[in-house]
Amino acid sequence: MQTELSKTLGVEHAVFGFTPFPAVAAAISRAGGFGVLGAVRYTAPDELKRDLDWIEAHVDGKPYGLDVVMPAKKVEGVTEADVEAMIPEGHRQFVKDTLAKYGVPELAEGEASGWRITGWMEQVARNQLDVAFDYPIRLLANALGSPPPDVVARAHERNVLVAALAGSARHALKHKEGGIDIVVAQGYEAGGHTGDIASMVLTPEVVDAVAPLPVLAAGGIGSGQQVAAALALGAQGVWLGSLWLTTTEAELPSPKLIEKLLAAGSGDTVRSRALTGKPARQLRTEWTDAWDSADGPGTLPMPLQGLLVADAVSRIQKYEVEPLLGTPVGQIVGRMTSERSVQAVFDDLTRGFEKAVDRINRIAGRSGQ
């Protein structure tokens, strides 16, 4: 599964794997793909340094990258405390009432939230980059559009390629104008933040819009046949995230959450603002239903919503409150029916890819060539 882009980066397969787990990122690169560590959960530079040290020691010299979340426009002088102060009391009370309804225990006194995503605040992301650029990362990806111009320039000075996610051809063109090297065309089916256009439509639109820049297809891809389809649509690789959540190397915080993922079908996700304030595909739960209900207070814009629900999500995960327990995941969850190693996933992807290519060759009358 090689393309011009995978050859440029020195990887065997044009499979880019996004994951918040260092062990998964390293395993993806060792298996011949390109592991990309999500940095949004790292609030302290020392934590990111620790995990990048671990990846360096376990990636067998293979290339890998980092994914950050930072806005293109800079907001000066705003601290986390300033943002926290903007959260209305009525929304705080709604969280308390919802947790009380389901009997969710409090965290122990002095116990900090284990899920406090502040990495989308620009200064946090810049601190992450100060750490990351001391490592031989080959790719920097940004999930909130194009990074600021100085960040792109800084990456290019270090021979680091820059990628940005796009949910439309219009967004992709902005990335091209901003000096981005790779566009990730993320379809409606994807987990996490996603737009309204499905992958089958979006991928060729973006390929045509930004040519000759390489495009990675994302959203609803979890088999070798789908990888082949993405390449047939003009992509130079695929960007996979959800598929790694049920791998044996992943570090999901809850056995019950793993069970829910393995049991879920492709129709058991929903695009909701409940987690971050922006539409993000995730498992549908009674938590998402409460926030999306007409009786609720409505979600807050990013990053207010994420800060508001951080402690609540930690409590739900720690105590495994099943009706509320969820995670960002794409519609491909319907294919995630068993726990497998990252290597086993790659073996399945390559077998499926070969079958798809053989099938097309037979249809085209090129069997055996």
Side-chain angles (χ1 to χ4, degrees):
M1 296 187 287
Q2 277 206 339
T3 65
E4 184 178 344
L5 178 61
S6 66
K7 292 175 182 177
T8 297
L9 288 168
V11 295
E12 183 180 358
H13 302 302
V15 174
F16 294 70
F18 164 80
T19 174
F21 307 121
V24 176
I28 290 169
S29 290
R30 289 199 308 270
F34 190 98
V36 182
L37 178 67
V40 72
R41 67 191 180 100
Y42 294 97
T43 57
D46 287 349
E47 295 173 354
L48 179 59
K49 183 179 186 306
R50 175 202 64 205
D51 284 355
L52 289 175
D53 282 340
W54 190 94
I55 289 176
E56 272 290 297
H58 293 83
V59 82
D60 294 347
K62 302 293 180 63
Y64 62 94
L66 190 76
D67 179 278
V68 298
V69 179
M70 65 188 308
K73 294 182 179 179
K74 187 173 183 176
V75 179
E76 298 281 359
V78 177
T79 67
E80 184 178 335
D82 295 332
V83 177
E84 286 265 18
M86 300 177 189
I87 298 174
E89 185 55 39
H91 282 73
R92 296 186 187 277
Q93 190 61 49
F94 180 75
V95 171
K96 292 177 183 177
D97 292 345
T98 304
L99 296 178
K101 176 181 177 181
Y102 291 92
V104 183
E106 296 276 356
L107 295 175
E109 186 175 350
E111 182 179 359
S113 165
W115 189 95
R116 192 164 185 78
I117 293 181
T118 57
W120 51 58
M121 299 182 71
E122 181 177 348
Q123 190 53 53
V124 175
R126 286 184 177 276
N127 291 341
Q128 293 167 350
L129 293 177
D130 288 341
V131 173
F133 282 140
D134 286 336
Y135 291 81
I137 61 171
R138 295 293 312 280
L139 176 72
L140 173 66
N142 189 39
L144 270 187
S146 302
D150 68 296
V151 172
V152 176
R154 192 176 173 192
H156 287 166
E157 288 171 1
R158 291 162 174 79
N159 199 31
V160 175
L161 296 180
V162 181
L165 276 65
S168 70
R170 178 172 56 86
H171 292 154
L173 279 170
K174 288 184 178 180
H175 296 337
K176 183 178 182 180
E177 293 166 0
I180 298 303
D181 305 294
I182 302 167
V183 175
V184 181
Q186 180 168 275
Y188 172 82
E189 308 95 325
H193 297 129
T194 181
D196 301 309
I197 306 173
S199 298
M200 181 65 74
V201 175
L202 180 66
T203 301
E205 283 188 351
V206 172
V207 168
D208 290 344
V210 303
L213 287 187
V215 173
L216 301 178
I221 301 172
S223 71
Q225 290 89 336
Q226 290 167 312
V227 174
L231 300 188
L233 292 172
Q236 285 205 30
V238 293
W239 178 274
L240 310 183
S242 299
L243 194 62
W244 316 110
L245 289 174
T246 52
T247 56
T248 53
E249 293 90 345
E251 303 163 21
L252 283 178
S254 162
K256 285 187 179 178
L257 179 55
I258 296 173
E259 291 175 8
K260 290 187 75 170
L261 287 170
L262 296 176
S266 56
D268 293 327
T269 68
V270 63
R271 282 173 78 240
S272 171
R273 298 178 184 266
L275 191 62
T276 69
K278 285 184 176 290
R281 186 171 297 284
Q282 56 204 278
L283 279 181
R284 182 176 182 178
T285 66
E286 293 185 32
W287 175 257
T288 62
D289 285 350
W291 279 104
D292 295 338
S293 168
D295 298 330
T299 56
L300 298 171
M302 179 186 274
L304 300 181
Q305 183 72 16
L307 293 172
L308 169 66
V309 305
D311 288 342
V313 172
S314 284
R315 289 164 61 185
I316 291 166
Q317 290 181 346
K318 177 177 180 178
Y319 299 110
E320 296 190 299
V321 184
E322 197 276 339
L324 306 179
L325 192 60
T327 185
V329 69
Q331 291 180 331
I332 199 63
V333 69
R335 294 186 64 97
M336 296 157 51
T337 57
S338 65
E339 291 187 79
R340 300 177 294 166
S341 69
V342 168
Q343 184 61 61
V345 171
F346 266 88
D347 291 343
D348 185 60
L349 289 173
T350 53
R351 282 194 298 267
F353 181 82
E354 290 169 358
K355 288 180 180 178
V357 172
D358 287 345
R359 185 182 305 119
I360 295 301
N361 280 335
R362 287 197 301 271
I363 293 171
R366 292 193 293 266
S367 181
Q369 292 185 16

